[in-house]
């Protein structure tokens, strides 16, 4: 197999993949099938070889994770060397922003992605280390930040305007007989979630007890108009009569409602300031120049024989990396905190 080539700077910026294998000892049993065991080592060895899609193409998961672990640590160590380690205030500000944007769904979103709050904090800390190096010494005045905020608000679909919405549950089936049975159970007082777990053609909706998502009146929200109209006609806690949508029968329940909200300037001022500073730092190639030297001189030791070449590859890539490849543009995923 040819060794996969990868861009040093791109590896520095890839999203964090958490590889968590717990337990003590490689021979610890992690699963049994009819009495036959798979050990932690069996699982680990298979997991290392599973191909994953990365910015550099398909790679074995073990190699990709090893690259990430080294790259993330180098970014954090560089920030410390430069005297710009992320502060608790920086990390907590982004956590608070994500919580506000996620609303009551924050914990649920983390759980769905297999992440803990500590995982998210680590992800933000690595990202913030990169940002702090890029923006070191750059000052953005308040008037420029305010103008950027006002420019963003004028754009359609901007991230600072959250439309009015209804959090809905649904029962969606193709057979009229099934929707009639479901409605009869609801009328008799059976819990909506219980009925939704029994009557739903989509296994994901069934598993989630009929939970759907926030439904808005926005034109760019692609769901059928009758769904929007019905959802907004319901008071929280109430459900609709069965109705037909594109050949399928539906019952909707409104769980809760949220008003339209425009994120105030005070809540996003520092985030916008940071994005503008990243844009300016990107043009200067600040991060690439600093990381080239730091990675080239780094002492990287890898015991696993299959991955020993990664350290040398990272050093070679660092030596020839160019400033123009340094960072994503301001406003991109690396600088805009979003729900995990």
């Amino acid at each position: 197999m040819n060794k996969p080539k990868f861009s040093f700077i791109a590896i520095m910026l890839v999203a964090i993949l958490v590889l968590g294998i717990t337990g003590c000892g490689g021979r610890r049993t992690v699963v049994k099938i009819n009495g036959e065991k798979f050990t932690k080592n069996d699982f680990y060895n298979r997991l290392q070889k599973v191909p994953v899609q990365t910015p550099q193409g398909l790679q074995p998961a073990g190699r990709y994770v090893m690259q990430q672990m080294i790259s993330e640590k180098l970014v954090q160590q560089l920030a410390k060397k430069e005297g710009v380690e992320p502060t608790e205030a920086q990390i907590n500000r982004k956590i608070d922003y994500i919580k506000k944007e996620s609303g009551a769904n924050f914990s649920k979103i983390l759980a769905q992605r297999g992440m803990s709050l500590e995982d998210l904090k680590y992800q933000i800390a690595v990202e913030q280390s990169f940002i702090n190096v890029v923006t070191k010494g750059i000052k953005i005045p308040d008037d420029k930040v305010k103008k950027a905020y006002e420019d963003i608000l004028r754009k359609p679909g901007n991230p600072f305007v959250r439309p009015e919405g209804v959090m809905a549950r649904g029962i969606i089936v193709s057979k009229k007989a099934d929707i009639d049975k479901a409605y009869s159970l609801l009328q008799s007082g059976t819990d909506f979630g219980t009925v939704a777990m029994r009557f739903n053609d989509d296994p994901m909706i069934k598993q989630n007890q009929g939970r759907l998502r926030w439904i808005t009146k926005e034109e760019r929200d692609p769901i059928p108009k009758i769904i929007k109209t019905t959802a907004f006609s319901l008071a929280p806690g109430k459900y609709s009569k069965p109705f037909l949508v594109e050949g399928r029968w539906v019952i909707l329940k409104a769980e809760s409602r949220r008003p339209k909200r425009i994120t105030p300037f005070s809540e996003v001022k520092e985030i916008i300031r940071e994005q503008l500073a990243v844009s300016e730092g990107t043009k200067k190639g600040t991060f690439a120049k600093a990381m080239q030297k730091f990675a080239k001189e780094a002492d990287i030791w890898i015991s696993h024989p299959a991955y020993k070449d990664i350290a040398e590859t990272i050093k070679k890539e660092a030596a020839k990396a160019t400033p123009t490849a340094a960072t994503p543009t301001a406003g991109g995923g690396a600088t805009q905190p979003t729900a995990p």
Side-chain angles (χ1 to χ4, degrees):
M1 177 188 293
N2 293 330
K3 293 177 181 175
K5 296 180 180 179
F6 59 92
S7 161
F8 166 74
I9 294 297
I11 282 293
M12 290 293 167
L13 304 177
V14 290
I16 293 167
L17 176 65
V18 180
L19 179 61
I21 303 174
T22 58
C24 43
R27 295 181 180 179
R28 179 176 179 269
T29 300
V30 293
V31 65
K32 287 183 181 179
I33 305 96
N34 294 324
E36 294 192 36
K37 303 174 182 177
F38 278 112
T39 67
K40 177 183 170 184
N41 276 344
D42 295 328
F43 177 64
Y44 177 69
N45 290 335
R46 175 74 66 88
L47 196 60
Q48 285 187 89
K49 298 170 186 175
V50 173
V52 293
Q53 186 63 51
T54 77
Q56 295 75 43
L58 280 175
Q59 294 192 59
R63 171 170 287 270
Y64 180 56
V65 172
M66 182 65 73
Q67 291 167 1
Q68 285 188 305
M69 290 169 63
I70 295 170
S71 299
E72 290 161 10
K73 185 55 65 178
L74 285 173
V75 171
Q76 291 177 298
Q77 290 178 347
L78 176 60
K80 184 175 182 178
K81 176 179 177 290
E82 295 287 319
V84 290
E85 279 186 284
T87 65
E88 281 295 314
Q90 285 180 314
I91 294 171
N92 288 335
R93 184 172 67 240
K94 291 189 175 178
I95 293 288
D96 290 343
Y97 178 85
I98 292 169
K99 283 182 176 178
K100 284 180 181 178
E101 293 302 302
S102 304
N105 295 320
F106 178 70
S107 297
K108 180 183 173 184
I109 291 171
L110 284 180
Q112 286 176 341
R113 305 214 175 177
M115 294 179 71
S116 67
L117 181 58
E118 289 306 308
D119 292 333
L120 179 59
K121 284 183 176 180
Y122 171 77
Q123 179 176 326
I124 291 173
V126 174
E127 177 186 277
Q128 194 67 51
S129 296
F130 158 72
I131 290 169
N132 288 358
V133 175
V134 172
T135 61
K136 183 179 179 181
I138 297 175
K139 306 294 182 184
I140 306 295
D142 285 349
D143 60 337
K144 191 173 181 180
V145 178
K146 185 63 182 290
K147 183 180 183 304
Y149 172 75
E150 292 169 350
D151 288 345
I152 292 170
L153 283 183
R154 283 193 287 269
K155 295 178 181 178
N158 77 78
F160 299 149
V161 176
R162 187 188 69 186
E164 181 184 7
V166 174
M167 175 56 73
R169 287 186 192 238
I171 297 170
I172 306 172
V173 295
S174 56
K175 295 179 181 178
K176 178 70 163 59
D178 286 343
I179 205 70
D180 288 342
K181 289 177 185 176
Y183 189 67
S184 177
L185 286 170
L186 292 175
Q187 290 287 83
S188 68
T190 307
D191 174 70
F192 194 96
T194 301
V195 179
M197 287 184 71
R198 180 177 172 186
F199 296 99
N200 251 307
D201 290 348
D202 188 309
M204 286 300 295
I205 298 176
K206 179 181 290 189
Q207 181 180 327
N208 289 323
Q209 298 184 337
R211 289 187 182 90
L212 301 175
R213 62 172 178 83
W214 286 105
I215 296 172
T216 75
K217 294 179 181 178
E218 299 288 291
E219 286 186 14
R220 59 196 179 93
D221 191 340
I223 65 174
K225 185 177 180 180
I226 188 172
I227 295 284
K228 298 179 183 181
T229 302
T230 303
F232 277 88
S233 71
L234 297 169
K238 301 297 183 180
Y239 58 85
S240 70
K241 292 181 179 180
F243 59 100
L244 197 58
V245 183
E246 297 177 351
R248 293 197 293 174
W249 289 96
V250 178
I251 299 173
L252 280 185
K253 180 184 178 183
E255 288 283 289
S256 59
R257 291 184 80 140
R258 70 180 187 194
K260 178 178 179 179
R261 182 177 187 268
I262 298 176
T263 305
F265 178 62
S266 60
E267 289 184 15
V268 293
K269 178 172 67 174
E270 296 310 317
I271 291 172
I272 296 172
R273 193 192 309 277
E274 184 178 83
Q275 290 180 337
L276 294 174
V278 167
S279 181
E280 196 169 311
T282 298
K283 294 173 185 175
K284 295 179 179 180
T286 309
F287 177 79
K289 291 173 185 176
M291 184 54 81
Q292 283 169 18
K293 185 175 185 298
F294 186 72
K296 188 177 179 181
E297 297 173 353
D299 179 16
I300 304 171
W301 177 81
I302 301 172
S303 66
H304 199 302
Y307 303 144
K308 281 185 176 293
D309 64 297
I310 291 176
E312 193 57 35
T313 304
I314 283 178
K315 289 175 180 287
K316 287 179 180 178
E317 290 290 329
K320 64 185 181 183
T322 58
T324 54
T327 66
T329 56
T335 58
Q336 175 68 46
T338 56

